[in-house]
Amino acid sequence: METNFKICASCLQDGENVSSSEWCWNCMEGLCTECAKYHRKQKPSRQHKIVVLNNITNFDLLLSYIKTSCPIHNNQPLLSFCSTHRDLCCELCVKTSHGDCQQVITLTEAAATTTKDNVAEKFKSLEKLLEIKTETIRKSLVSQGEEVIQKVQQMRTEIDKYFDRLEEEVKKNLIVQHESYLKLVHQENSSVEECFHEIKIMKELMCVLSDDIPSEISFQLRNEMIKILQNHNNKFSSSTKQAYQFLFKPVDVMSLLETNVKSLGEVCITKISDACHVSDNQIPCQKINEIIYDRKSSEKLKETSVTADQNSQNDRKKSTEMKAERIQEKASLTHKLQLSKLGSNVTSTECCYLPDGKLVLIDTTGKFIMSCNDTGTQSRKVSLTQEPLDISVYDKTRLIVALGNDGIQSLNIVSLRPLGKVINLGGKCTAVTHDHEKVIVAVDDKLKLITIDGKLIRHIDHPGLVWSLSAVFNGKIYYSDFSDDDDVLHCITLDGTNIFSYKHPQLIGPTGVAVDTHGNVYVAGLSSNNVHQLSRDGTLLSIILTKKDGIKYPRGMAYNREKRELLLINQDRKIIQFYAIH
């Protein structure tokens, strides 16, 4: 209620600006002390309810709850109350917006049914609910904190077991090496024993020698013995200089751990949306927007000329320059990954395959990216400085992530940790991919070709605006144009030459794009709830997946060439589905 309760209304009528000290609930006006006295004495206002303003705290807030006139129908007086919607109504409201409501009563009747006790009971009920919620949250966080500690302890136990196993392997290797050493010692001992035996024989021969033996023969025998002894002497002189020892070459474990294991995990608190009842006549805002968009898309679908599009496709078929091998593939669902398995309320719009077959995806609930295998295990979650919008594998060690207005950043492909600083490209970076050592980024919906450290190679002139990029295939860039005026999939070269632009009445809101090993192109329709399969020259092969296959608000896509597997984010960012392409 827009009433200046601080000014005396009666004095204001006489052109005087006097502060009010009291309030008349019947007149809904402020009164100064003198006017309040006069108000109480006059017969018409003698029974009015007048209160002292200083006795009521937050009086301005109290007045804001009170309405006396209808804001819709030219300030008509509010004389009725709709119990169904708990709305105050004027006479026109009762006839129009509340015409079908069965529980419309007068304001006087409504006042008789609601007392202070009713409101107090509501207060108590709400306070009790808030106390329960607060205690539930506290206990939940304590319990979850204990789970985190327990998980860390389990990790420590697993690490200890792992190092125990490595220690046992070293001990086993030590035993093997020791046995090998004993064999060497035994072989040398045998040689020593043989030498001792030979010396003993030669000593006996020396005793046999006498003057009866000619001196020449005696010399020959002594000389031969000297040579044998000299050989043995040389042999064992060199061997005594050799020593055997156990040489252990330890791995620099601490250095490896410090490089590759920065922490045992990150601890953060994220808000989990409360479960609430939505009545039949209530639709979440996001769904309302989708319904509105679907209606627009439906109207757009009716208005689209099918004939013109078919003629365009026929022209492509006749063109010998664009003619290529067309291999129609089929898609069979193999398995699904519920993203809620990775954490409460986790959703994603973009995902790609890592070189080891794992997945890396954007978590749209915050400034996170995650990696996991296709069953949702072995997951890792890392926080970034800004909300990521797209991600691409650059090489075997690095990822590139688009961070909106901040720019792009390289990440370690294993730890997902940032490598170096964020590179600002002078606009909003919404999509990213690469071709060998070059990076292609959509900056303010236009493409730039840059180096990994952000140096501009050139701007790429191209038709339309960029919504989503696929990995570059044979020097071709594929991107979806999801603007207000068009729903198109474009294919261009790195210098911007247009190869084809695909448009179809049953492709509405193109989002994710992927290319398979044959060069077939897959594009998801967000509002048409399907996936189109095109040949490499842009000819429609089939609408490979539809609503009947469970496609609903599909988003990002990726293709695994080794597995011949198509990945699709489906069910409004909540599920990743995997399809075998054959």
Side-chain angles (χ1 to χ4, degrees), residues 313 316-317 326-332 489 502-504 506-507 514 516 520-525 528-547 549 551 557 566 580-582:
Q313 290 189 24
R316 284 200 300 269
K317 289 180 181 178
R326 295 165 186 165
I327 302 174
Q328 184 173 341
E329 302 274 19
K330 293 183 180 180
S332 301
L489 173 71
Y502 173 79
K503 182 179 176 66
H504 195 279
Q506 293 183 41
L507 178 64
D516 70 13
N520 291 340
V521 188
Y522 302 82
V523 56
S528 50
N529 293 315
N530 54 24
V531 175
H532 290 227
Q533 182 192 50
L534 316 179
S535 66
R536 66 181 69 176
D537 63 352
T539 302
L540 177 65
L541 296 176
S542 69
I543 299 179
I544 196 168
L545 296 168
T546 66
K547 233 176 186 178
D549 302 306
I551 303 302
M557 289 199 296
L566 182 69
I581 301 299
H582 53 86

Side-chain angles (χ1 to χ4, degrees), residues 283-301 482 484 508 526-527 553:
I283 303 173
C285 292
Q286 181 182 353
K287 295 301 178 187
I288 290 174
N289 293 334
E290 291 169 354
I291 289 169
I292 292 171
Y293 184 81
D294 281 349
R295 287 175 182 170
K296 290 180 180 178
S297 301
S298 178
E299 292 169 4
K300 188 175 181 180
L301 180 60
F482 184 5
D484 293 334
I508 304 173
L526 176 65
S527 294
Y553 306 121

Side-chain angles (χ1 to χ4, degrees), residues 118-166:
N118 298 134
V119 179
E121 187 178 340
K122 291 287 185 183
F123 279 140
K124 289 181 181 178
S125 177
L126 181 58
E127 287 171 351
K128 185 65 176 176
L129 179 62
L130 292 176
E131 287 176 2
I132 293 172
K133 183 178 178 65
T134 303
E135 183 63 17
T136 301
I137 293 172
R138 188 191 66 78
K139 288 182 178 179
S140 176
L141 291 177
V142 170
S143 174
Q144 291 169 20
E146 291 173 351
E147 290 177 4
V148 170
I149 294 172
Q150 185 178 3
K151 182 64 177 177
V152 171
Q153 291 173 344
Q154 289 175 355
M155 293 169 68
R156 283 291 304 273
T157 302
E158 292 299 319
I159 292 170
D160 289 342
K161 287 181 180 179
Y162 178 70
F163 279 100
D164 287 343
R165 188 165 68 251
L166 294 181

Side-chain angles (χ1 to χ4, degrees), residues 442-459:
V443 183
D444 293 335
D445 300 323
K446 290 294 183 179
L447 294 177
K448 287 184 178 182
L449 188 67
I450 63 172
T451 61
I452 187 65
D453 56 359
K455 293 180 181 177
L456 179 66
I457 299 174
R458 64 173 172 270
H459 294 273

